[in-house]
Amino acid sequence: MAIQNWKTFLLPYEQAVEELKVKLKSLRKEYRKRNEYSPIEFVTGRVKEVSSLLEKANKFGIPLDRVAQEMEDIAGIRIMCQFVDDIDKVVELLRVRKDMQILYEKDYVRNVKSSGYRSYHVIIKYLVNMADGPKEILAEFQIRTLAMNFWATTEHSLNYKYKQHIPDEIKIKLKRAADAAFNLDEQMLEIKDEIKDAQKLFEVKSDIISNIMNNILTLMSAGKVAEASRYQVALNRLIEEGEVYELSNLLKMIKKDIEKYKEN
Ligand code: 0O2
Ligand code: 0O2
């Protein structure tokens, strides 16, 4: 296929990656808006480079006119999670969706690869609406923890450096590092509730603080500069060390004041 044809061939994959990224990021936003913990930490996506597509087709003996049917990861979406048990939750979120059809799943979290690679792969069929009509494509989700992602990206760059022939002594060290990363994931899981509580507390506090800030601005724009400064000083005192109840009280006070000024 000529370069121009590859560009056209990849268009629906580019479209799919953009759409899927938006959809998965929206799920995260939805959890946050509901003030709930999100099993999705962040999402990235890419369309396979033509060079790496050709290399893979060559490695697996895939004829170029069969690439669309046989290469599952031309469109790739990566979903990063904070904790190992979030991975299953994300897979569940994908399983119930009506805008994609899961073809199969590969669980490299429980069935770790000999390289040390851990990740959960979900292969889907996805319909994109292009200018010349609907087109069904294959796409791959890779769902993994931050530690798994750190390991995989590092190992991937070493593979690139050594052209898939990483020396044995480095392979052994990499395998050990992969197990250490997984060990870290398991230890983090043991204190998950503690971490979640701390994150929640942070979110609740920053929510109240931005609410107070907005109310201070309202006071300022109503010409109540002295009152606004007084609240700003009180807020500054509480920002670092203040408890949630103290911030809530300050918020109540400023809201009450604003109501009072509105009545006058
Ligand atoms: P926000 O508001 O920061 O969440 P893109 O086209 O930028 O949407 P792309 O090109 O697939 O996505 O991948 P990119 O740019 O590498 O990263 C996508 C998103 O993941 C970006 O956020 C990054 O900030 C975020 N990201 C990347 N690495 C990390 C990381 O190690 N930790 C965290 N928490 N986030 C990371 P957005 O989508 O631009 O917006
Ligand atoms: P890239 O550069 O990531 O786009 P395989 O049999 O492993 O050669 P297959 O049969 O396509 O590949 O499926 P598999 O095993 O599910 O792998 C698909 C993708 O998973 C790979 O894409 C990698 O992104 C990732 N992956 C699988 N094994 C490893 C590993 O040992 N280390 C790292 N870092 N990533 C891995 P590609 O085609 O390698 O390309």
Side-chain angles (χ1 to χ4, degrees):
M1 225 188 287
I3 295 281
Q4 193 49 43
N5 291 347
W6 278 116
K7 275 193 181 157
T8 314
F9 171 79
L10 292 177
L11 285 178
Y13 294 92
E14 279 159 16
Q15 180 65 25
V17 166
E18 288 310 310
E19 287 182 14
L20 291 168
K21 264 192 329 201
V22 168
K23 289 179 177 185
L24 271 296
K25 285 179 183 184
S26 300
L27 279 181
R28 172 178 164 77
K29 281 194 197 124
E30 190 187 330
Y31 277 107
R32 296 196 74 137
K33 280 189 192 148
R34 286 206 239 131
N35 262 330
E36 284 174 28
Y37 171 80
S38 166
I40 298 171
E41 179 61 13
F42 68 95
V43 180
T44 66
R46 65 98 186 92
V47 174
K48 218 176 183 62
E49 295 288 339
V50 175
S51 57
S52 118
L53 189 155
L54 292 174
E55 204 178 302
K56 190 162 181 169
N58 193 29
K59 178 178 161 196
F60 288 99
I62 303 172
L64 291 187
D65 59 352
R66 297 283 309 157
V67 161
Q69 293 78 25
E70 293 184 31
M71 204 175 289
E72 305 146 341
D73 66 341
I74 300 175
I77 299 291
R78 204 166 272 167
I79 304 173
M80 264 55 69
C81 309
Q82 286 195 68
F83 299 99
V84 184
D85 62 350
D86 293 334
I87 295 178
D88 288 338
K89 287 192 198 111
V90 173
V91 174
E92 220 24 75
L93 290 175
L94 296 180
R95 284 186 188 142
V96 296
R97 290 190 77 100
K98 298 277 181 254
D99 55 351
M100 57 186 74
Q101 185 197 337
I102 295 184
L103 294 181
Y104 63 96
E105 301 174 13
K106 298 192 222 177
D107 183 354
Y108 296 131
V109 176
R110 289 165 189 90
N111 310 299
V112 51
K113 278 193 154 189
S114 59
S115 59
Y117 179 75
R118 286 180 173 87
S119 202
Y120 198 104
H121 293 190
V122 177
I123 316 298
I124 60 159
K125 228 192 237 177
Y126 185 72
L127 191 74
V128 269
N129 288 292
M130 304 303 291
D132 52 2
K135 175 138 184 66
E136 207 162 50
I137 58 132
L138 299 180
E140 179 186 76
F141 283 105
Q142 296 184 343
I143 308 145
R144 43 170 82 153
T145 63
L146 298 167
M148 291 172 192
N149 188 48
F150 168 64
W151 183 90
T153 35
T154 310
E155 195 253 8
H156 194 274
S157 50
L158 278 176
N159 259 319
Y160 190 75
K161 175 177 174 192
Y162 290 107
K163 300 186 176 56
Q164 309 294 327
H165 300 293
I166 299 180
D168 280 348
E169 71 271 19
I170 297 185
K171 271 192 189 159
I172 293 168
K173 285 184 183 162
L174 273 170
K175 177 76 175 72
R176 243 186 261 144
D179 293 340
F182 194 61
N183 196 270
L184 173 66
D185 271 338
E186 295 201 308
Q187 286 180 45
M188 294 302 274
L189 196 55
E190 283 173 26
I191 48 168
K192 178 175 181 176
D193 289 341
E194 198 75 22
I195 298 168
K196 270 172 70 178
D197 282 352
Q199 289 171 345
K200 181 96 191 150
L201 191 65
F202 174 78
E203 272 172 33
V204 170
K205 271 191 173 180
S206 46
D207 202 40
I208 304 175
I209 290 170
S210 68
N211 225 320
I212 296 173
M213 288 297 293
N214 286 337
N215 283 296
I216 291 176
L217 287 175
T218 309
L219 276 181
M220 295 272 260
S221 56
K224 306 287 176 194
V225 179
E227 289 82 346
S229 313
R230 193 165 46 82
Y231 279 112
Q232 185 67 62
V233 171
L235 177 61
N236 289 350
R237 242 194 349 254
L238 292 180
I239 274 182
E240 286 278 320
E241 304 277 343
E243 299 288 341
V244 169
Y245 80 89
E246 293 174 293
L247 285 161
S248 297
N249 283 344
L250 189 64
L251 179 60
K252 270 187 214 144
M253 278 161 62
I254 192 168
K255 276 185 171 167
K256 232 190 219 166
D257 270 2
I258 289 176
E259 282 307 314
K260 210 168 64 200
Y261 294 130
K262 271 190 195 157
E263 284 163 15
N264 295 334

